[in-house]
Amino acid sequence: MSLTIEKLAEELKNWKGCDLAKNSNPVLGEGNPKSKVVFIGEAPGQKEDEQGRPFVGPAGKFLDELLDSIGFKREDVYITNIVKYRPPGNRDPLPEEKVACLPWVKMELAIIKPKVIATLGKHSLNEFFPKLSISKVHGEPQKINDDLALFPIYHPAAALHNGGLRGALFEDFRKLGEFLLK
Ligand code: URA
């Protein structure tokens, strides 16, 4: 039997490979397993930890708005995070937490087989391209191989702290929408 997102989510519940699992709940990705695009954020926050679902707090509400601006509902796409557990106080995930959780993202990508990985924020961008700076490359697609591109976008939460980034995020999404039509 082939691996599915549902089975992966069940397996994640029994996984103790990351210290964050001691104090928070597992949050795997969710959405359309046939999506051409996978959005990858950083790590769950408080609401995500409570509900066991990605991007359901304030950043998620803004992500819904951004998706809506290019004609998508969240059920149309697949949304996940690099780190599967909430870091205390929403601090940045530690390098070892990212390394520990990475196999889960890889398994999600192996199941969904997207054409485009849209990274939200620097943590997910730098997992794939450690040397790229989000402020320089956001909105510009990066080739991973002939069948897969990465599309870097600012993290929606960044615009909640810095309203000046709202316009840049809508513009990145507009470009993503165009890129997905190619
Ligand atoms: N920020 C993230 O990066 N991921 C979430 O799921 C929520 C907020």
Side-chain angles (χ1 to χ4, degrees):
M1 273 210 299
S2 59
L3 193 55
T4 61
I5 294 297
E6 288 73 22
K7 282 187 215 157
L8 212 55
E10 279 306 307
E11 284 180 29
L12 181 62
K13 287 184 189 161
N14 300 318
W15 183 67
K16 301 280 174 273
C18 172
D19 277 355
L20 296 173
K22 290 181 193 147
N23 297 306
S24 62
N25 296 309
V27 181
L28 197 74
E30 67 175 25
N32 176 3
K34 296 201 162 56
S35 180
K36 184 178 165 183
V37 54
V38 166
F39 290 85
I40 309 185
E42 183 181 322
Q46 184 185 352
K47 289 270 183 254
E48 290 76 20
D49 181 34
E50 283 166 10
Q51 295 186 33
R53 297 178 56 207
F55 281 97
V56 289
K61 297 272 168 304
F62 186 38
L63 177 59
D64 288 348
E65 224 182 288
L66 291 159
L67 287 168
D68 186 59
S69 74
I70 56 167
F72 285 130
K73 296 192 185 51
R74 62 181 287 147
E75 311 84 78
D76 297 332
V77 298
Y78 189 84
I79 302 172
T80 192
N81 284 302
I82 286 290
V83 170
K84 304 306 188 198
Y85 292 86
R86 182 188 181 200
N90 296 348
R91 64 154 167 73
D92 279 359
L94 302 174
E96 57 268 33
E97 292 161 355
K98 292 189 268 190
V99 168
C101 287
L102 200 60
W104 293 98
V105 185
K106 290 197 171 153
M107 286 188 275
E108 290 176 285
L109 292 172
I111 292 169
I112 312 279
K113 299 188 189 67
K115 295 268 176 240
V116 179
I117 296 172
T119 52
L120 302 169
K122 65 177 179 190
H123 290 280
S124 49
L125 168 64
N126 291 149
E127 277 310 312
F128 297 90
F129 290 100
K131 296 203 174 119
L132 292 185
S133 153
I134 179 105
S135 58
K136 296 215 174 80
V137 301
H138 70 95
E140 292 171 15
Q142 313 290 319
K143 183 172 170 171
I144 293 182
N145 61 42
D146 284 347
D147 299 316
L148 182 62
L150 182 146
F151 197 96
I153 300 177
Y154 279 121
H155 197 293
L160 302 180
H161 307 130
N162 171 2
L165 286 180
R166 261 182 87 86
L169 265 151
F170 277 107
E171 180 59 10
D172 284 354
F173 268 75
R174 191 190 63 72
K175 289 183 184 161
L176 172 66
E178 277 183 7
F179 186 65
L180 289 174
L181 294 175
K182 284 185 186 158

